[in-house]
Amino acid sequence: MASEELAQKLQRRLQLEESGAAAEGEAEEVKDAAAAGEVEERSYLTASAGAELSAKLCRRQDINEGAAQPRRAAVFNPYTEFKEFSRRQIKDMERMFRLYDSGRDGYIDLMELKLMMEKLGAPQTHLGLKNMIKEVDEDFDGKLSFREFLLIFHKAAAGELEEDSGLLTLAKLSEIDVSIEGVKGAKNFFEAKAQALSSASKFEAEIKAEQDERKREEEERKHRRAAFRELKSAFTQ
């Protein structure tokens, strides 16, 4: 009886030891797998970073060699990009853009363009409005940014819009004089661009005129303040 009980205890002890060894083995396997996964992930990240850096270096080399063009910056300067227009013309376009950007989000969407064309006396169909946006929608977002709005007048001035284009109608009906007829006879865009570049000195003169105007207004304000102080001192004596 005692020997049978002792045998059972020994058997149970062996079972416990075997189960413990199995658990330790599983833990080791888990650790090995985790270590292998970490090494594999590290290798993947290193390879990805290397590929990205290599792609950037290749693109930079292509740009330097003239094989690729730099990506357009999100922020642009209308005065340097659209040199065919004077500062006053661009400011007039900006005022018009803001007037119809009723959402104040920096874009003219389909409904805002619809209202614009109605105000100009040339209402368009829903499809016509979509086609108007499509003609200058460079980022395919279905609405007009200020740069794309300037492209309307740019294309009109260069003679790149069809006679039945809604955009040409918009440009003609606006109160902004972009001298469409003056450059419409140019053979192509590059010839029109060359004509526009000749107005660089006029552009600089406009900047100086604006600066002189601000100085004159400031002088007038100083004189008014001085006259007011003299008048005030006369009454206080």
Side-chain angles (χ1 to χ4, degrees):
M1 183 69 176
S3 60
E4 184 178 348
E5 185 177 354
L6 179 60
Q8 290 177 353
K9 288 182 179 181
L10 290 173
Q11 186 177 0
R12 180 169 179 76
R13 181 66 176 273
L14 288 173
Q15 290 175 348
L16 290 173
E17 290 179 354
E18 289 176 357
S19 62
E24 290 179 0
E26 291 177 359
E28 290 297 328
E29 290 179 1
V30 171
K31 288 182 181 179
D32 292 342
E38 184 178 353
V39 171
E40 183 177 354
E41 181 180 4
R42 190 177 302 152
S43 300
Y44 172 77
L45 292 175
T46 302
S48 298
E52 184 178 357
L53 178 60
S54 177
K56 288 182 178 180
L57 290 174
C58 288
R59 176 167 178 77
R60 173 54 56 189
Q61 184 177 359
D62 289 342
I63 291 174
N64 292 338
E65 293 176 355
Q69 295 296 325
R71 294 186 178 91
R72 186 181 302 280
V75 178
F76 78 103
N77 186 335
Y79 302 110
T80 57
E81 186 169 346
F82 295 91
K83 294 180 180 179
E84 64 266 45
F85 302 133
S86 68
R87 288 174 62 86
R88 185 174 297 278
Q89 287 172 337
I90 290 177
K91 286 183 176 180
D92 288 342
M93 295 177 205
E94 185 176 11
R95 278 193 289 270
M96 184 178 184
F97 181 85
R98 290 179 177 176
L99 176 64
Y100 291 101
D101 177 20
S102 57
R104 299 294 183 269
D105 59 353
Y107 296 93
I108 291 180
D109 60 25
L110 188 70
M111 295 308 296
E112 290 167 340
L113 181 61
K114 178 178 183 294
L115 177 62
M116 178 188 292
M117 297 306 294
E118 289 173 354
K119 290 287 186 180
L120 292 174
Q124 303 287 315
T125 64
H126 188 78
L127 179 60
L129 293 167
K130 281 190 171 182
N131 288 335
M132 288 174 64
I133 293 176
K134 187 177 180 181
E135 284 189 71
V136 289
D137 188 12
E138 293 188 327
D139 53 7
F140 308 104
D141 60 356
K143 51 189 177 182
L144 301 177
S145 65
F146 180 52
R147 183 182 181 280
E148 291 166 343
F149 185 71
L150 290 177
L151 280 176
I152 296 173
F153 298 93
H154 167 84
K155 287 177 176 289
E160 296 179 347
L161 297 175
E162 299 295 334
E163 284 296 330
D164 58 350
S165 169
L167 295 185
L168 185 60
T169 302
L170 187 159
K172 285 182 175 180
L173 292 177
S174 70
E175 297 179 357
I176 303 167
D177 177 18
V178 294
S179 304
I180 295 175
E181 297 302 328
V183 294
K184 193 173 179 181
K187 294 180 180 179
N188 52 46
F189 166 74
F190 298 102
E191 185 176 342
K193 195 72 173 178
Q195 293 177 5
L197 291 175
S198 64
S199 63
S201 58
K202 180 182 177 182
F203 182 80
E204 294 174 357
E206 288 180 345
I207 295 178
K208 188 176 185 304
E210 289 179 3
Q211 293 172 343
D212 292 341
E213 179 67 16
R214 285 195 292 269
K215 288 180 181 179
R216 185 184 63 79
E217 291 176 353
E218 181 61 28
E219 289 295 327
E220 289 181 355
R221 282 194 292 268
K222 288 180 180 179
H223 289 311
R224 286 196 298 267
R225 285 196 294 267
F228 177 77
R229 284 195 295 269
E230 290 178 3
L231 183 61
K232 183 178 179 181
S233 62
F235 279 100
T236 56
Q237 287 179 356

